[in-house]
Structures are given as C-alpha cells and as structure tokens.
Amino acid sequence: PLMREHFISNPPDVTKLKARLNANENPYGPPASAKQAVVDSVSLGNRYAWKELSDLIGKIVKKEGPGITPNHIMMGPGSSDLLEKVALVEFMNGKGNIVSADPCYMSLVNVAKTVGAKWKAVPCKSDWSHDLAAMEAAIDADTKLVYICNPNNPTGSITAGKELLDFCSRVSEKVPIFVDEAYLELAEGSDTQSMVSLLAQNKNVIVARTFSKIMGMAGLRVGYIAALPAYLNKIQNITRGGMGISYTSVLAASASIEDMEFQATTKKLNTEAKAYLYANLDKMNYKYIPSYTNFVIFPITMDGKDFLAKMYSKGIGIRTFDIQKKTWCRVSMGTMDEMKIFVKALEELS
Ligand code: PLP
C-alpha cells in the first residue's frame, strides 16, 4: 500500500480540543429539528422503532428517486456498519480479492483483508481521481467486489461522474461495484453525480450514504446502502440491517432528511470555510488537492508525527498521512473560528 497514517502514542482528549478538525464531522449539527426529535423520542425507548424505520425508508426512497423502492434500501447505524457487513458477507469464506484505489477509505477493504481477501490496490491518477482503466484491468476471475469512494477520502478528490457511470454500468455486469458516496452531498460542480440511478437499470451497484456528514449526525449513527433487492437479500440472509439503530436515531434521521434548510446551510458554510482555507494555503504556498468534501489535504515538509503532536499541543486535531512518498496534513472544515485557529497555528509552524 502507498498510504500510511501517522499516530502518536498519547493523543489528547479530543473533546477538550479548541478545534476538532480530525474526523470530517459537521460542526453545525445535529440540526435543531433532529434535536427536538431526540427529545421527543426518549420516552419511546421501550419499543422497537419498526414503523418509524419504515417511514424513514419511505423518505429515503423519495430522495433517491425513480426506480428505487424500500426493497432497495438496507439501513445501519452509520454507513460503517454496512461497509463492514458487505465485506464480511462477500469474503466470509476467506477467498477472492477486492479491487480499490490507493489511497482510499480503508474500512471495507480492511475488513475484507482481515477475513482473508486479497487486496488489489490501484494507485490513483496524478489528479487523484480513480484510474478506472487500471481498475478494470485489475479485475480477474477471483474478484468479488470493486470498492470506489467518490469523492475519495483522504484526498477529497472527485472521479468524474460521467466516466464513473460508464465504468459502473459496464463493469457491474462482471462484478458488483460498491460506491461509497459519504461526501457526495457536499460536492459541487458538474463532475459530481450519484451512481444510484444505475439501480433503476438493474445494474449491480451498491451505493452507501450516511447521515454523519451533511446531516450532522455522526454521533447519532444512521446510514444506508441502496442496492438491488437480490443483492441485499444475500447480505440480509446473514446479517440484519435496521436492528442496530436506536429509536432516537431513527427519529432524528427522519427529521434531518427533511431539513433542507439545515443541509443547504451546512453546504454554504462548508464552502466558505474551504475558500478561507484555500486563500490562506495559497498565501503560505501549500499545494492542496481541490476538495469536493468537508476536508482538505495538502503536503507538508515537517515529519507527520511531529506535526500531529505540535498541532495537538496547540489544541488542534488534524490527521497526517504518508501518501505516494509525501507527508500530508488532512484538515476537516470546522466553524470559521476553528479555521482561524488552524490557519494561525499553521503559520506558526511553517
Ligand atoms: N465512508 C467514508 C468515505 C467516510 O469518510 C466515512 C467516515 O468518515 C464513512 C464511510 C463512515 O461514516 P459513518 O459510519 O459515520 O456513516
């Protein structure tokens, strides 16, 4: 693998940081509508939330558009749960391989590897988009799944929607393609497109979404995958979906998904924070990768562990990685106050 993350042995208590810019969370959430739903749901905690879960799936189906039915949706406590479950079911016999980009978000790949899958890592292109031709060439008779994270993490980069649609449409005839769209709702520009429409054409894609990012509910834990009903049957024969989500979180998600004002505000403030950061990185001559997400990554010259430790000592949480022979800082978009704290610290360290 070409990517390696840095860690220090004694990280501080993240809840005490001045600027929590390490986990790509939404600093504005949860929306007021979701907070009210949480309060209202407390006394319902003695019941299962079956009816409310089915109502939430109804709202998701409406959002996802034509051709998507409740049978296309599997819910989970965050999309992590579904990334892991798909990896477990696909690779539980310990055979086969998974094709993904390197770097990419490693949760699904790591679980697959742990149960015995071989990882076929395909380096990203020089613009940090997926090398779709090389990924297609990497598929062989033992490939059970292709994983694509778009926009990608930790790079924040996009793979153009039109090319990805074409790739998924064609290649999913051979092997299922898992497309992780955790950040897609934050992406802007003509290259950004969901792969969910392929399900209406009966293509074997699995699209993951989360309430953790644009909906501001990382700690409330709700996510889902949209996939062909036959594919979901295969997963749900072995492991159930929605049973892991609390009543409270179901109702909070149901409020958030309809709170278009909160989602629009999040997007606007995220764009403003990024513009502020870009302007300051430009000033300091840092060459960042243009981001379609709520985080930005850029190369640094300092040792990754030292940089992490120094930022922590200033009350700032970020992440550092080695990718393709460079050391990088990944910083999440916080409030404007948090971004100012980060920029000032970066100036002091530069
Ligand atoms: N996919 C990507 C690309 C992510 O970056 C994350 C979290 O940061 C997740 C999935 C998992 O998020 P959650 O389990 O909160 O839905």
Side-chain angles (χ1 to χ4, degrees), residues 23-24 78-81 83 105 147 149 153 180 182-183 210 212-213 218 221-222:
N24 305 338
S79 59
S80 295
D81 185 64
L83 271 70
Y105 187 69
Y147 173 75
C149 184
N153 183 7
D180 184 340
Y183 298 98
T210 180
S212 298
K213 309 299 174 183
R221 312 303 303 134
V222 182

Side-chain angles (χ1 to χ4, degrees), residues 37-105:
V38 168
V39 170
D40 293 346
S41 71
V42 169
S43 64
L44 298 168
N46 60 322
R47 301 290 179 188
Y48 292 108
W50 290 318
K51 169 68 169 63
E52 288 79 358
L53 189 64
S54 143
D55 292 346
L56 172 60
I57 291 172
K59 293 180 189 182
I60 288 170
V61 162
K62 218 169 106 196
K63 170 182 162 154
E64 296 297 353
I68 308 302
T69 71
N71 291 335
H72 288 86
I73 306 296
M74 177 175 174
M75 302 297 303
S79 59
S80 295
D81 185 64
L82 301 158
L83 271 70
E84 291 165 8
K85 281 179 171 162
V86 166
L88 286 174
V89 174
E90 286 288 0
F91 295 101
M92 67 185 172
N93 66 5
K95 295 192 189 121
N97 68 59
I98 177 164
V99 172
S100 89
D102 183 27
C104 78
Y105 187 69

